[in-house]
Amino acid sequence: MSRSQPGESARIRREPPRFRSVAVQRVERLGPRLVRVTLGGAELEGLTVDEPAASVRLLLPDAPGATLVMPVWNGNEFLRADGSRPTIRTFTPRRLDPDAPELDIDAVLHGVGPASQWAGGVTPGAAAALSGPGRGYTIDTETPAFLLAGDESAIPAISQLLEALPHSSAVHVRIEVADADGRVPLPAHPRVTVEWSDLPSGAPPGDALVAAVRAVDLPPGVRVWAAGEAAAMQRIRRYLFDERNMQRSQTTVRGYWKRGRAGADDG
């Protein structure tokens, strides 16, 4: 990361939405590796999520039972008053019930990172806080076909998209899982084809997904949405742009996490 030189102004980023205090209401195991955590509280009132595949930042305690300290935006990132970085992870807001008010997030249990540890052990009543939503996906209802591709971290967003895409469009879904028990039921769509790929032992994350995307017969006018490990997403971008000559307006490719980065286990 480059540092500002003397006399240079620090880069100022747009401040994200404020953190809202919430508490865990329920915890539900959706599969061996997928957990749904329902958050609720009065501060969720007024929260809206207008597009599928959006995001929220979740502020987590440093350890189970630890006091949750609200950070302050310093123009570039959220920091605590003592200058330390809080534990923040990004999730897809899977379901929002404004009347309750409640918000569901689905977390993949795939490692020892803070989000996996939190989701695997959190109990009702635990405190958390969330900020959002971040940008979602704008659906072109005239598109004849969509390709949705991702690893396990993208399953919640892919599920939302399947619920929102027009029934008149063909939908090709390709999902990579680290283990076969990562496969979970997906929402129905009248014109969907789903293929799951198991990541071979020792292969880098995204290897099976990239191969699956390359194997899809992409029809004219298709729109591509893909998310997962950052390096794999770069490979998919290069394939779509350099080999398939797709326009950037036809694609949305997002790096949800980065291999080797400490705690990179966002869901």
Side-chain angles (χ1 to χ4, degrees), residues 3-260:
R3 298 180 180 272
S4 298
Q5 297 300 315
E8 289 184 359
S9 59
R11 177 173 165 230
I12 302 298
R13 299 168 60 189
R14 184 174 65 178
E15 184 172 356
R18 67 178 178 86
F19 273 100
R20 302 167 184 256
S21 294
V22 294
V24 175
Q25 307 297 306
R26 296 180 300 281
V27 180
E28 178 185 2
R29 186 63 68 98
L30 302 180
R33 293 162 53 81
L34 191 65
V35 171
R36 174 163 294 169
V37 180
T38 300
L39 306 168
E43 291 196 13
L44 282 181
E45 293 180 2
L47 178 69
T48 59
V49 181
D50 297 325
E51 295 179 321
S55 63
V56 291
R57 289 182 172 94
L58 190 66
L59 175 67
L60 304 175
D62 289 338
T67 300
L68 198 67
V69 179
M70 288 292 186
V72 176
W73 183 253
N74 74 345
N76 185 59
E77 62 182 332
F78 282 109
L79 294 175
R80 298 190 183 100
D82 63 3
S84 62
R85 290 181 174 176
T87 303
I88 298 174
R89 294 294 181 266
T90 305
F91 292 89
T92 299
R94 182 65 183 88
R95 180 194 66 95
L96 174 65
D97 180 353
D99 295 325
E102 290 181 345
L103 179 76
D104 291 344
I105 59 170
D106 295 349
V108 180
L109 307 181
H110 59 79
V112 296
S116 288
Q117 290 183 327
W118 175 81
V122 73
T123 57
L130 63 86
S131 167
R135 63 190 174 123
Y137 181 68
T138 302
I139 296 173
D140 182 350
T141 58
E142 301 300 318
T143 297
F146 291 87
L147 169 61
L148 310 179
D151 58 23
E152 290 176 80
S153 70
I155 289 176
I158 288 174
S159 297
Q160 278 191 332
L161 290 166
L162 281 172
E163 294 169 344
L165 291 178
H167 287 187
S168 58
S169 300
V171 184
H172 308 275
V173 175
R174 302 294 183 268
I175 302 177
E176 174 188 286
V177 292
D179 295 294
D181 61 9
R183 305 183 185 199
V184 296
L186 298 175
H189 186 284
R191 299 190 61 198
V192 68
T193 57
V194 180
E195 291 186 12
W196 299 83
S197 299
D198 296 335
L199 182 65
S201 178
D207 238 28
L209 182 63
V210 172
V213 169
R214 296 183 70 95
V216 177
D217 183 13
L218 298 176
V222 67
R223 299 270 177 166
V224 178
W225 183 95
E229 198 280 324
M233 294 304 104
Q234 288 285 11
R235 293 167 62 188
I236 288 175
R237 285 191 188 96
R238 288 196 296 268
Y239 166 68
L240 295 175
F241 298 153
D242 299 343
E243 297 186 42
R244 297 306 300 260
N245 296 315
M246 293 188 68
Q247 300 298 312
R248 294 182 183 273
S249 60
Q250 292 179 264
T251 67
T252 298
V253 183
R254 296 174 178 171
Y256 272 5
W257 60 284
K258 188 172 184 179
R259 183 189 189 194

